[in-house]
Amino acid sequence: MLSLVLWLVQLILALLFAGVGFMKIVQNHARLTENLRWPEDFPAGTVKLIGVLEVLGAVGLIVPQATGILPVLTPLAASALTVLMALAVLVHVRRGERNRIALNLILLVLSLVVALGRFGVFG
């Protein structure tokens, strides 16, 4: 049962991170700043890097575990996404965007659950 729940959470997270990461990669900085506002605090290259990290994290949530090739990369990817979301929360707190923190906290907690679950903390 736990494995099924973890797979479901991994799939949801992978779809979300792949989508927002791809958006950061392909959209220009001005458009991202207009839609999200926080990118105005960062150079365009940094925002693109964040997008690449999100896409790589999404791949890491699924491929290693699904193929059995280096499955330890799945909890490592989830851990990295947890850190990324913690940093996102800090950015929104610094900017006074309290209404944008909830989604990042949810993604942080779900990523942490996957990391802990795939590292075997839950049994």
Side-chain angles (χ1 to χ4, degrees):
M1 180 66 171
L2 176 62
S3 181
L4 180 63
V5 171
L6 288 173
W7 269 115
L8 181 61
V9 174
Q10 284 170 242
L11 287 170
I12 291 168
L13 286 173
L15 289 172
L16 288 170
F17 280 114
V20 298
F22 187 70
M23 178 185 66
K24 289 175 186 130
I25 293 168
V26 300
Q27 285 188 3
N28 67 44
H29 193 257
R31 177 110 187 241
L32 287 169
T33 299
E34 181 181 307
N35 293 334
L36 302 175
R37 296 196 318 241
W38 66 262
E40 69 190 14
D41 290 354
F42 298 92
T46 301
V47 177
K48 298 280 186 221
L49 176 62
I50 292 168
V52 169
L53 294 173
E54 289 172 338
V55 170
L56 289 173
V59 171
L61 287 173
I62 302 299
V63 174
Q65 194 73 34
T67 63
I69 299 171
L70 293 172
V72 71
L73 293 178
T74 294
L76 290 175
S79 299
L81 291 169
T82 300
V83 171
L84 192 61
M85 288 301 97
L87 294 170
V89 167
L90 291 175
V91 167
H92 290 302
V93 167
R94 182 180 52 80
R95 290 179 51 86
E97 299 172 336
R98 304 218 185 282
N99 60 330
R100 295 183 178 247
I101 294 172
L103 177 60
N104 295 119
L105 282 175
I106 291 167
L107 295 174
L108 183 153
V109 169
L110 291 175
S111 297
L112 183 60
V113 166
V114 170
L116 295 175
R118 291 301 179 195
F119 276 130
V121 172
F122 301 130

